[in-house]
């Protein structure tokens, strides 16, 4: 599943970052609330004991092998009637059957063995744990002996009010009228909301599904439709789906509505017998959406086909199902959901047109690659329990970026990862309240909490670090062996390590143990003697607060150093295993500078001595972009934690201005200055805040003037992104020319919606935000009008979301309150509330207080 964190629909003008401290470190930490758990916390040491927590697991006395499910949902009343015939094994004598059920009522249970009736009970024989366990216990009239049985259960349920289970999703039908479609979201533990089942990822079974739905609906599930029959009354039809392979309950999926599709064919199935040369079977790939939006999904279909074919080549394994459907869902809990063969996406991820901004296009490719990689890594092979969720999500995040980078190398997607997702993981994991990527799930309530930046982005960073150390070829050989060994079954982190060890010949489990089982990461301090060519390195735990107590600093990490220097462009594969170690600078005494963590492949910070940092600053113009990004990111984090003064960051800012303008570098500079300004917003005189804005203006106003508003035919994607951030940064800093230009563009666009947009679509979000922030109060109502009537202005889905976010950029107190009230009304989908909240937190220090109140 692509998390909301991973797939944020809109990038605010002032993106959320951890606040950056000045040298008055302790004062600012206090102002921000500081680190959130004291050093006396049980988590403070970073040593977490992992143990299996079986209190919430179902007993293994009865296990299923096949579910035959029939559901009859009523879209009007919200009620669901259903039955399920479960082929199961009784593994030991028992007089009860325990399974998961929540918000459903079991009315009858019948048990057969080879056609012979063994037991029959009514609903009065069923007891429910409606607390955290969410289990139903069916009491049998006598003991059932070990055997293969069929358990037939009839039940009643309801359509869910939230975006979990089986729920009604608002959309517009073929006539353009408001209507509802049926959608499921079963991850992580919501299949139990729809039918009685063994709702744990390791308990895999085959599924046969039958649905009764309105006759004008297109019904979709994981497998193809094998038959449809019209019912005699009620305007319904019954849809029968083919039997699925073994899979976990959370991957079962249903969509039903008035939908159209476009289709392509991929050669990604099994090898056709006796084909010379070997040829794979054809697999149809479709993208479904409401009829009015069918012209918006061609890019997504083309991307899905490319991604699927790349994945088959990478994994050396056929796509496991006979079809692949992607569905654009207006109301979806996450950015994407990897249901096997029926992958769901928020509309903003699939609606990609000529008007879509480059940033959203890049995110769409990544999210599609992320979800499709799950078809193997997560669906074909599933984590045994949710404590290994990082196996699913960390790997899918890595492969999503890797695939995007293969398809569009000019996007430099790993550089973007370094300033966005990796930083998110490092920020979260520098808090005492963090958790290991392999985290003990003590109860069902804990499961949803691990869908976070640690699981996704720290997990991805660890996979990237390991793959860089082993080499991509050896790493992927291990992945292929892992998939083949555990196909249609479940696996653990240890199983992946074993496969990688066999493929690489390296002790992967030992290398990665502390990284996956412990909280946090290290900062490596560099003491370089350039005259002798020697290097002394020391690792310590890094904390956001900077105050690391001795008992918090007991963990030692395996740290691949990736050293490069002025004399050695290829990274030296040295490793720091102990607290401290001595090394030779690559190129010895000839080297004039040294850089650790080449390409930001390792998950750690680097603190250079003053001399080493001065030498890097002097050589800023020759550093690789990824290395420049790493130095700047670490300098900012070290200023936050009090390891270095803020002046060190400002010195690096000055040095990096000598480099040719690069999007990722300037993104860091802008984010640093905005965060510094926000840090001081409530606790400093206006003159200090204006000084920070003046510095930002001196940086970004000339950049915006040089790049201009017009995209040029020879612009690279990175130049386009640089232009797209320079203009709003200059406006935030108060550049009068950029503000006047943006307001003029907005006036023209609002007044003439039928005319072509007077600015490039990459600037749409920025123009909306500047218009609300810097223009007349009336612009707040105007962007709301655009959000509500987006078709009039021919706004793409991402720009409609941009209009919603721009409402939160107002500096007017009344508009701030109006925005919050509006966001909580029926006009805004629950899934989009985070857009408004994100802007209100970052756009203006006063709107942040409105939100908190």
């Amino acid at each position: 599943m692509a998390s909301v964190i991973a797939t944020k629909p809109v990038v605010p003008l002032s993106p959320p970052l951890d606040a950056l401290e000045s040298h008055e470190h302790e004062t600012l930490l206090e102002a921000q609330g500081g680190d959130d758990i004291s050093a006396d916390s049980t988590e403070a040491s970073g040593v977490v004991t992992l143990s299996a927590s079986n209190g919430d697991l179902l007993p293994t006395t009865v296990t299923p092998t096949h579910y035959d499910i029939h559901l009859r949902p009523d879209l009007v009343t919200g009620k669901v009637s259903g039955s399920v015939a479960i082929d199961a094994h009784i593994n030991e004598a028992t007089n009860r059957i325990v399974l998961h059920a929540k918000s459903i009522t079991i009315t009858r249970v019948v048990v057969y063995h080879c056609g012979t009736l063994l037991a029959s009970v009514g609903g009065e024989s069923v007891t429910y744990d409606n607390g955290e366990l969410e289990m139903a216990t069916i009491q049998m009239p006598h003991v059932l002996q070990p055997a293969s049985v069929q358990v037939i259960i009839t039940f009643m349920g309801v359509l869910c009010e939230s975006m979990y289970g089986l729920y009604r999703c608002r959309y517009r039908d073929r006539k353009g009228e408001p209507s509802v479609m049926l959608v499921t979201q079963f991850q992580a533990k919501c299949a139990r909301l729809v039918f009685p089942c063994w709702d744990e990822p390791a308990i895999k079974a085959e599924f046969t599904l039958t649905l009764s739905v309105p006759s004008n609906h297109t019904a979709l599930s994981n497998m193809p439709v094998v038959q449809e029959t019209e019912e005699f009354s009620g305007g319904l039809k019954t849809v029968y789906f083919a039997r699925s392979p073994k899979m976990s309950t959370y991957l079962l999926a249903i969509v039903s509505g008035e939908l159209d599709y476009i289709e392509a064919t991929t050669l990604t199935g099994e090898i056709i017998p006796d084909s010379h040369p070997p040829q794979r079977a054809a697999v149809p790939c479709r993208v479904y959406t409401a009829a009015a939006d069918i012209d918006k999904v061609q890019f997504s279909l083309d991307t899905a086909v490319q991604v699927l074919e790349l994945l088959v080549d990478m994994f050396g394994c056929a796509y496991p199902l006979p079809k692949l459907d992607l569905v654009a869902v207006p109301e979806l809990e996450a950015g994407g959901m990897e249901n096997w063969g029926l992958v769901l996406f928020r509309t903003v991820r699939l609606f990609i047109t000529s008007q879509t901004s480059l940033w959203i296009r890049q995110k769409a490719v990544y999210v599609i690659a992320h979800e499709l990689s799950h078809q193997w890594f997560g669906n074909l092979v599933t984590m045994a329990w949710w404590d290994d969720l990082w196996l699913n999500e960390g790997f899918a995040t890595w492969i999503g970026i890797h695939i995007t980078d293969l398809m569009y190398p000019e996007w430099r997607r790993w550089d973007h990862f370094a300033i966005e997702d990796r930083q998110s993981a490092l920020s979260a994991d520098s808090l005492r309240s963090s958790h290991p990527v392999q985290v003990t799930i003590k109860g069902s309530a804990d499961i949803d909490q691990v869908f976070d930046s640690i699981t996704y982005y720290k997990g991805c960073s660890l996979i990237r670090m390991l793959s860089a150390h082993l080499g991509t070829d050896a790493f992927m050989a291990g992945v292929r062996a892992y998939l083949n060994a555990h196909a249609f079954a479940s696996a653990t982190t240890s199983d992946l390590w074993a496969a990688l060890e066999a493929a690489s010949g390296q002790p992967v489990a030992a290398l990665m143990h502390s990284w996956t089982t412990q909280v946090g990461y290290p900062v490596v301090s560099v003491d370089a003697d350039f005259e002798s060519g020697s290097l002394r390195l020391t690792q310590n735990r890094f904390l956001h607060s900077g105050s690391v107590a001795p008992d918090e600093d007991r963990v030692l990490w395996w740290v691949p150093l990736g050293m490069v220097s002025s004399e050695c462009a290829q990274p030296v594969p040295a490793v720091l295993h102990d607290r401290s170690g001595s090394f030779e600078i690559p190129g010895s005494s000839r080297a004039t500078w040294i850089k650790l963590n080449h390409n930001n492949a390792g998950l750690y910070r680097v603190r250079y001595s003053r001399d080493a940092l001065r030498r890097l600053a002097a050589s800023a113009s020759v550093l690789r972009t990824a290395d420049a990004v790493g130095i700047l990111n670490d300098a900012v984090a070290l200023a936050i934690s009090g390891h270095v003064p803020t002046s060190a960051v400002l010195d690096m800012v000055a040095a990096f201005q000598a480099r040719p303008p690069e999007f990722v570098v300037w993104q860091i500079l802008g984010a640093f200055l905005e965060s510094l300004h926000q840090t001081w917003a409530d606790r400093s005189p206006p003159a200090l805040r204006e000084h920070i804005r003046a510095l930002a203006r001196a940086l970004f106003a000339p950049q915006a003037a040089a790049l201009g508003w017009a995209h040029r035919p020879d612009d690279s994607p990175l130049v386009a992104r640089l232009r797209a951030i320079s203009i709003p940064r200059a406006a935030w800093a108060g550049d009068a020319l950029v503000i006047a230009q943006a307001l003029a563009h907005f006036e023209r666009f609002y007044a003439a919606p039928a005319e072509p947009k007077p600015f490039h679509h990459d600037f749409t979000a920025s123009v909306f935000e500047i218009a609300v922030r810097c223009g007349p109060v009336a612009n707040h109502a105007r962007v709301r009008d655009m959000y509500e009537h987006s078709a009039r202005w021919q706004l793409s889905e991402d720009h409609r979301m941009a209009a919603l976010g721009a409402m939160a950029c107002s500096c007017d107190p009344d508009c701030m309150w109006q925005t919050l009230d509006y966001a909580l009304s029926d006009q805004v989908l629950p899934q989009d509330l985070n857009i408004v909240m994100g802007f209100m937190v970052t756009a203006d220090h006063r709107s942040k207080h409105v939100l908190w109140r």
Side-chain angles (χ1 to χ4, degrees):
M1 178 166 64
S3 74
V4 175
I5 299 170
T7 59
K8 193 171 184 179
V10 178
V11 180
L13 185 62
S14 307
L17 288 177
D18 285 344
L20 305 182
E21 277 84 14
S22 73
H23 61 281
E24 296 187 46
H25 172 66
E26 296 301 332
T27 301
L28 285 176
L29 275 181
E30 180 183 349
Q32 299 173 62
D35 223 341
D36 49 345
I37 294 182
S38 72
D40 295 330
S41 165
T42 55
E43 288 186 309
S45 67
V47 179
V48 177
T49 302
L50 295 179
S51 59
S53 179
N54 295 320
D56 284 356
L57 299 183
L58 290 166
T60 58
T61 50
V62 183
T63 51
T65 59
H66 173 250
Y67 298 86
D68 192 343
I69 307 164
H70 188 173
L71 297 175
R72 189 183 182 93
D74 190 318
L75 286 167
V76 177
T77 66
K79 298 183 182 298
V80 180
S81 60
S83 65
V84 57
I86 307 170
D87 296 332
H89 290 302
I90 299 177
N91 300 310
E92 54 187 272
T94 182
N95 65 349
R96 60 181 191 154
I97 298 173
V98 183
L99 37 58
H100 286 115
K102 181 181 180 182
S103 300
I104 58 178
T105 301
I106 295 173
T107 57
R108 171 65 56 182
V109 181
V110 182
V111 182
Y112 290 94
H113 170 62
C114 297
T116 300
L117 179 66
L118 295 184
S120 177
V121 298
E124 69 280 357
S125 297
V126 184
T127 57
Y128 302 90
D129 183 318
N130 293 318
E132 192 172 301
L133 295 180
E134 300 172 352
M135 295 178 185
T137 300
I138 306 167
Q139 192 66 43
M140 294 288 104
H142 52 77
V143 173
L144 302 177
Q145 298 300 322
S148 294
V149 298
Q150 185 178 61
V151 183
I152 301 175
I153 303 174
T154 57
F155 57 91
M156 295 294 296
V158 294
L159 297 175
C160 298
E161 295 299 324
S162 63
M163 292 178 286
Y164 289 99
L166 178 62
Y167 64 94
R168 287 171 288 198
C169 167
R170 291 170 287 178
Y171 81 118
R172 292 191 177 274
D173 61 20
R174 295 187 188 282
K175 298 177 182 178
E177 298 296 325
S179 187
V180 291
M181 61 196 293
L182 288 169
V183 180
T184 55
Q185 171 64 40
F186 286 170
Q187 193 181 53
K189 51 186 178 67
C190 294
R192 65 191 70 176
L193 291 168
V194 180
F195 64 101
C197 58
W198 283 256
D199 200 11
E200 295 170 7
I203 307 179
K204 292 191 170 187
E206 297 174 352
F207 293 82
T208 302
L209 179 66
T210 303
L211 284 177
S212 294
V213 296
S215 57
N216 62 334
H217 275 204
T218 296
L220 304 170
S221 187
N222 309 77
M223 298 296 287
V225 173
V226 294
Q227 185 183 359
E228 291 188 7
T229 59
E230 294 288 335
E231 297 190 9
F232 292 112
S233 61
L236 299 178
K237 65 180 178 181
T238 302
V239 184
Y240 303 85
F241 295 91
R243 184 167 176 151
S244 78
K246 285 177 64 176
M247 65 183 190
S248 302
T249 47
Y250 79 86
L251 295 171
L252 184 66
I254 295 166
V255 173
S256 180
E258 290 190 44
L259 303 172
D260 281 358
Y261 69 87
I262 57 174
E263 181 180 30
T265 300
T266 67
L267 298 179
T268 54
E270 296 291 347
I271 299 292
I272 299 172
D274 302 323
S275 59
H276 300 288
Q279 183 176 347
R280 292 192 176 276
V283 174
C285 179
R286 293 177 175 178
V287 178
Y288 283 86
T289 186
D293 299 312
I294 199 67
D295 61 334
K296 302 174 183 176
V297 295
Q298 185 64 52
F299 177 83
S300 298
L301 176 64
D302 295 341
T303 299
V305 169
Q306 286 181 268
V307 168
L308 201 65
E309 291 173 347
L310 282 169
L311 289 169
V312 167
D313 289 341
M314 289 179 63
F315 293 144
C317 177
Y319 172 69
L321 297 186
K323 60 91 176 175
L324 174 65
D325 295 333
L326 287 68
V327 187
V329 178
E331 296 180 274
L332 190 65
E333 186 271 336
M337 178 59 210
E338 68 268 19
N339 311 301
W340 216 359
L342 184 63
V343 189
L344 309 186
F345 298 86
R346 287 187 181 175
T347 51
V348 73
R349 293 291 165 247
L350 293 187
F351 291 177
I352 307 298
T353 69
S354 60
Q355 295 301 304
T356 301
S357 65
L358 176 60
W359 164 245
I360 298 299
R361 187 178 298 266
Q362 291 175 347
K363 294 294 285 186
V365 173
Y366 158 73
V367 173
I368 291 171
H370 177 112
E371 302 302 339
L372 296 195
S373 72
H374 275 311
Q375 306 302 296
W376 289 265
F377 215 99
N379 299 3
L380 180 67
V381 180
T382 310
M383 77 262 146
W385 182 238
W386 297 104
D387 52 4
D388 273 328
L389 176 66
W390 86 278
L391 275 184
N392 279 18
E393 301 300 349
F395 183 86
T397 302
W398 180 84
I399 205 75
I401 298 171
H402 182 65
I403 289 283
T404 304
D405 197 48
L406 289 176
M407 292 172 61
Y408 298 96
E410 67 275 16
W411 287 354
R412 304 279 289 275
R413 191 58 182 84
W414 281 115
D415 287 349
H416 296 184
F417 175 79
I419 64 171
E420 296 156 4
D421 305 333
R422 180 176 179 270
Q423 286 304 111
S424 175
L426 288 169
S427 295
D429 209 28
S430 68
L431 302 176
R432 291 185 174 96
S433 56
S434 183
H435 64 81
V437 291
Q438 277 184 277
V439 59
T440 300
I441 302 296
K442 298 176 182 178
S444 296
D446 293 343
I447 296 174
D448 291 339
Q449 296 179 32
V450 296
F451 285 83
D452 62 6
S453 61
I454 298 297
T455 296
Y456 282 78
Y457 304 145
K458 183 178 181 180
C460 172
S461 298
L462 295 181
I463 291 291
R464 186 180 184 222
M465 180 170 68
L466 182 59
S467 65
H469 179 73
L470 300 181
T472 304
D473 290 344
F475 177 78
M476 288 308 302
V479 168
R480 286 190 286 271
Y482 167 84
L483 292 174
N484 288 329
H486 302 284
F488 302 104
S490 298
T492 65
T493 295
S494 297
D495 294 320
L496 178 59
W497 293 165
L500 293 172
E501 286 181 349
S504 67
Q506 298 200 42
V508 173
L511 300 179
M512 298 301 294
H513 178 75
S514 60
W515 285 107
T516 59
T517 63
Q518 308 302 329
V519 176
Y521 59 89
V523 54
V524 176
S525 297
V526 178
D527 185 10
D529 185 339
F530 287 92
E531 289 188 6
S532 64
S534 63
L535 196 63
R536 185 71 178 171
L537 304 178
T538 304
Q539 62 163 301
N540 299 97
R541 185 181 176 189
F542 179 83
L543 282 178
H544 170 85
S545 65
S547 54
V548 182
D551 67 337
E552 296 177 297
D553 198 19
R554 291 184 286 159
V555 177
L556 292 178
W557 286 272
W558 162 78
V559 184
L561 297 174
M563 294 188 291
V564 294
S565 74
S566 60
E567 303 301 310
C568 182
Q570 292 301 313
V572 175
V575 173
L576 178 63
H577 293 282
D578 302 316
R579 177 68 65 193
S580 298
S582 296
F583 300 86
E584 181 180 349
I585 297 176
S588 192
S589 59
R590 301 187 309 277
T592 58
W593 55 265
I594 183 171
K595 165 71 173 63
L596 270 63
N597 202 7
H598 178 67
N599 268 349
N600 298 305
L603 189 68
Y604 56 91
R605 302 282 190 196
V606 182
R607 179 189 180 191
Y608 295 95
S609 64
R610 183 177 295 274
D611 178 53
L613 193 60
R614 179 185 59 79
R615 289 168 177 265
L616 284 170
S619 305
S621 61
V622 300
L623 294 173
R624 287 168 49 90
T625 300
D627 289 330
V629 165
I631 294 168
L632 271 178
N633 276 334
D634 288 349
V636 169
L638 291 166
I640 294 174
S641 62
H643 285 87
V644 300
T646 302
S647 59
V649 182
L650 298 177
D651 289 343
M652 295 303 298
V653 169
F656 277 65
Q657 288 185 71
R659 296 174 59 86
E662 297 162 301
F663 159 70
V664 287
V665 173
W666 282 77
Q667 177 77 324
I668 297 170
L669 299 180
F672 166 66
L673 293 171
E674 286 196 20
S675 295
L676 194 62
H677 180 273
Q678 193 171 51
T679 297
W680 286 105
D682 296 320
R683 300 175 68 91
S684 65
L688 177 57
R689 299 198 300 271
E690 179 51 36
H691 181 73
I692 296 170
R693 284 160 57 91
L695 175 58
R697 199 157 55 244
L699 288 171
F700 284 97
Q703 191 75 264
L707 292 168
W709 288 80
H711 280 238
R712 305 177 183 100
D714 59 344
D715 280 347
S716 70
L718 295 181
V719 169
R721 289 292 305 276
L722 178 62
R723 180 183 289 110
I725 66 165
S726 295
I727 285 176
R729 297 285 190 205
W732 169 83
D735 183 65
L737 177 60
V738 166
I739 292 171
Q741 292 169 334
L743 292 177
H745 284 319
F746 181 81
E747 288 294 333
R748 287 177 57 198
F749 181 53
Y750 184 80
E755 297 295 320
K757 217 180 271 183
F759 46 86
H760 192 274
H761 47 260
D762 278 359
F763 297 122
T764 303
S766 298
V767 167
F768 289 177
E769 293 163 26
I770 296 168
V772 174
R773 185 195 306 273
C774 305
V777 172
N779 284 351
H780 181 267
R782 289 175 171 180
V783 294
R784 184 180 63 197
D785 192 23
M786 290 177 169
Y787 170 72
E788 294 177 353
H789 306 96
S790 57
R792 184 186 306 166
W793 282 272
Q794 303 175 56
L795 296 182
S796 61
E797 184 68 8
D798 61 310
H799 293 153
R800 192 174 76 89
M801 293 297 102
L804 176 64
M807 291 175 60
C809 293
S810 177
C811 298
D812 180 78
D814 290 338
C815 289
M816 293 176 188
W817 285 106
Q818 290 170 21
T819 299
L820 185 57
D821 290 340
Y822 186 79
L824 296 172
S825 72
D826 291 340
Q827 293 290 333
V828 177
L829 297 177
Q831 69 185 28
D832 297 330
L833 179 61
N834 73 304
I835 297 173
V836 177
M837 293 178 66
F839 274 90
M840 292 192 75
V841 168
T842 60
D844 187 278
H845 68 283
R846 291 163 296 183
S847 62
K848 175 176 64 179
H849 296 304
V850 168
L851 183 62
W852 296 151
R853 291 174 192 149

